[in-house]
Amino acid sequence: MESIALRILDPRLGRDWPLPHYGSADAAAMDLRACLEEPLELQPGETALVSAGFAMHIGNQGVAALLLPRSGLGHRGLVLGNLVGLIDADYQGPVKISLWNRSQSRQRIEVGERVAQMLLVPVLRPQWHVVEEFAPSQRGAGGFGSTGSH
């Protein structure tokens, strides 16, 4: 993978906190931080749009970035407002994280806290091939959830 252009929007990023990075050698996604001026309190059911402190330009139509919740935060009820965020290859704006408190208790987000993760994924862009019928398969036209009924 070639490099991805990153523009720092919050000067604490890369100085006080690391740039988005992998937490371990085998981590699939990079941690993103809440670039806040002060801690944020989210009441049950409340959402907030939080800056990740940078803008990026992937610049390769074969790659996209997915924003995902962190497992531990998701377990306690802090997830992404859009569940999964998508950053297209041609987007060049600020990366923002939609946080949603789906729990029944108040959630506090600290300044610089790791609140999401970003996964870079390959993108396939196939051409449609219109057919009158499909070649037979084992599943065939089995309905939604049909593979779990056996």
Side-chain angles (χ1 to χ4, degrees):
M1 170 84 199
E2 67 268 4
S3 64
I4 293 177
L6 181 137
R7 190 165 50 94
I8 295 173
L9 302 177
D10 187 316
R12 297 172 294 181
L13 201 60
R15 183 188 72 201
D16 302 340
W17 313 309
L19 294 174
H21 69 285
Y22 297 98
S24 72
D26 292 332
M30 296 178 226
D31 290 330
L32 301 182
R33 296 181 181 270
C35 292
L36 300 165
E37 295 304 318
E38 58 188 30
L40 174 65
E41 301 270 340
L42 281 180
Q43 299 303 319
E46 191 175 22
T47 61
L49 197 57
V50 174
S51 172
F54 66 96
M56 63 186 275
H57 180 211
I58 297 171
N60 175 344
Q61 73 174 9
V63 178
L66 299 178
L67 300 185
L68 305 166
R70 294 193 67 232
S71 300
L73 296 179
H75 181 69
R76 79 174 205 217
L78 189 62
V79 296
L80 301 186
N82 52 346
L83 303 182
V84 174
L86 172 65
I87 300 174
D88 294 311
D90 57 351
Y91 180 70
Q92 296 183 14
V95 174
K96 303 241 179 174
I97 305 161
S98 174
L99 294 176
W100 171 35
N101 179 3
R102 66 178 176 98
S103 77
Q104 299 302 312
S105 58
R106 184 188 64 195
Q107 298 285 333
R108 181 180 172 94
I109 296 101
E110 298 295 339
V111 174
E113 182 177 351
R114 294 175 299 145
V115 292
Q117 41 190 338
M118 182 171 66
L119 176 67
L120 296 168
V121 295
V123 174
L124 301 178
R125 297 178 55 110
Q127 299 294 314
W128 289 110
H129 173 71
V130 178
V131 298
E132 293 297 322
E133 59 186 54
F134 300 115
S137 70
Q138 184 176 357
R139 182 173 181 177
F144 179 79
S146 65
T147 60
S149 62
H150 304 299

